[in-house]
Amino acid sequence: MGRQRRSATAVERWDFQTAIDMGNALPHLFKPISDLPKLTEPEREALAQCKASVETLKLAFFAAGKALQIIRDARLYRASHSSFEAFVLDEFGMKRAYANKLIRTWRLAEYLIASERLAPNWSQRKLNQGQLWELVEYAEAHSVETAALVYITVYEAEDVSVTAAVLNGAVAAVRKAGGSDPKKIQSAILDYLATLDETTDDDPFSDFSHRIERAVPAKWVHRLGKKDPQAAHRYLDELQRQIDKCRGELPAPARIPSPAAPRLEAGTGSEVPQETTG
């Protein structure tokens, strides 16, 4: 009979779950080990580890909130402390108010991370605690699903960046409209979003460079081109078709008269001064 495999202890299984452990586990790789365009296996592994570390930081508030609620509700602090408040202060230097803020936020974050409405055209990196905090009170008064619908509606809207201020305004619009019907909620939010250009821009048409950057995600196209050049060209071809269609629906631009050429006085070659009016 073969040797029985020893079960890993809890400490061994979670050996690299803290930020410090994860940082210490990263490879000591600070210069290229290959000049080939394609990454080697060790380089791919190093990249995966680095990306996981960065993603862990981006979503740390979600994991921390869930962990804190487990510690609080299961009273896992009781062996060393008489209260949850004393435990988080001693262990993490964290006041109870902030711990509770993380606890109140994590369920909405978890729901959005798993949402099929947002995948595959989004990245979990877009989530941040400050944005979701604007939806927490609404989620507690109604439901996580309804609060998530507010976020998703704003996210899917054209020419709108998801910010804490925009989400706050969307929640206010939904409350003003009343009701819990999803279509009514979405309608109230879209009506609110339609007013943003009018209320936030002094001259929304004077500088549209930011809209161009959002319409043509150059960095994303370049990444796609490295992975699948044909797909990148298909994307740009479709984008061009949409541009041509939109241009065809616009009224013709006004013709701007070209400036008159200066007249020369006969026999002298000197310019004749232009008459002015007024």
Side-chain angles (χ1 to χ4, degrees):
M1 179 180 292
R3 184 177 178 181
Q4 186 175 4
R5 184 177 181 181
R6 180 175 62 88
S7 297
T9 66
V11 174
E12 289 171 334
R13 285 197 302 269
W14 293 91
D15 204 22
F16 299 104
Q17 289 303 307
T18 70
I20 294 175
D21 288 339
M22 185 172 288
N24 289 336
L26 289 172
H28 194 76
L29 184 66
F30 298 104
K31 62 180 180 180
I33 60 176
S34 171
D35 292 329
L36 297 174
K38 188 175 181 180
L39 295 181
T40 64
E41 182 62 27
E43 286 176 320
R44 287 196 296 271
E45 292 179 0
L47 177 60
Q49 284 182 270
C50 292
K51 289 172 66 176
S53 296
V54 176
E55 291 300 327
T56 298
L57 173 64
K58 293 286 188 178
L59 289 177
F61 76 93
F62 153 64
K66 188 173 185 178
L68 286 167
Q69 182 163 358
I70 292 171
I71 293 171
R72 185 193 67 183
D73 294 359
R75 298 185 65 244
L76 300 181
Y77 57 82
R78 68 184 185 276
S80 59
H81 291 76
S82 60
S83 68
F84 175 70
E85 180 177 11
F87 177 84
V88 295
L89 186 60
D90 288 348
E91 290 288 328
F92 313 121
M94 184 184 297
K95 293 185 178 180
R96 183 181 183 119
Y98 183 63
N100 285 338
K101 186 174 183 178
L102 290 169
I103 290 171
R104 293 173 66 190
T105 308
W106 77 263
R107 290 187 185 277
L108 180 56
E110 182 180 64
Y111 185 92
L112 288 169
I113 290 169
S115 173
E116 294 182 356
R117 287 278 301 276
L118 297 177
N121 297 319
W122 89 312
S123 167
Q124 296 166 359
R125 292 171 296 186
K126 293 181 180 294
L127 282 182
N128 71 66
Q129 184 187 357
Q131 293 174 2
L132 297 193
W133 181 247
E134 299 296 332
L135 301 173
V136 167
E137 187 176 334
Y138 184 77
E140 292 171 342
H142 299 274
S143 68
V144 168
E145 292 81 2
T146 306
L149 178 61
V150 176
Y151 183 97
I152 292 170
T153 303
V154 172
Y155 174 81
E156 291 179 339
E158 294 183 1
D159 298 328
V160 176
S161 297
V162 181
T163 66
V166 170
L167 290 171
N168 181 282
V171 169
V174 171
R175 284 175 170 159
K176 184 177 180 180
S180 58
D181 178 67
K183 290 184 178 180
K184 188 174 182 179
I185 290 173
Q186 290 179 303
S187 178
I189 294 171
L190 294 176
D191 288 344
Y192 156 71
L193 295 178
T195 69
L196 289 183
D197 275 347
E198 300 171 9
T199 58
T200 60
D201 291 342
D202 293 333
D203 184 1
F205 304 111
S206 62
D207 180 11
F208 42 75
S209 58
H210 65 292
R211 296 182 183 273
I212 295 174
E213 292 174 0
R214 287 205 299 264
V216 185
K219 291 182 179 179
W220 178 83
V221 173
H222 292 156
R223 291 198 303 270
L224 178 61
K226 292 179 181 179
K227 184 178 180 180
D228 189 343
Q230 290 185 343
H233 282 282
R234 288 198 305 272
Y235 172 82
L236 292 175
D237 289 342
E238 179 58 31
L239 187 63
Q240 185 63 54
R241 278 193 289 271
Q242 294 297 327
I243 291 173
D244 293 341
K245 178 183 177 182
C246 187
R247 188 187 299 275
E249 295 170 350
L250 292 175
R255 294 181 61 86
I256 301 176
S258 35
R263 291 187 296 110
L264 300 180
E265 187 175 355
T268 66
S270 301
E271 291 184 10
V272 177
Q274 301 290 318
E275 294 182 2
T276 57
T277 59

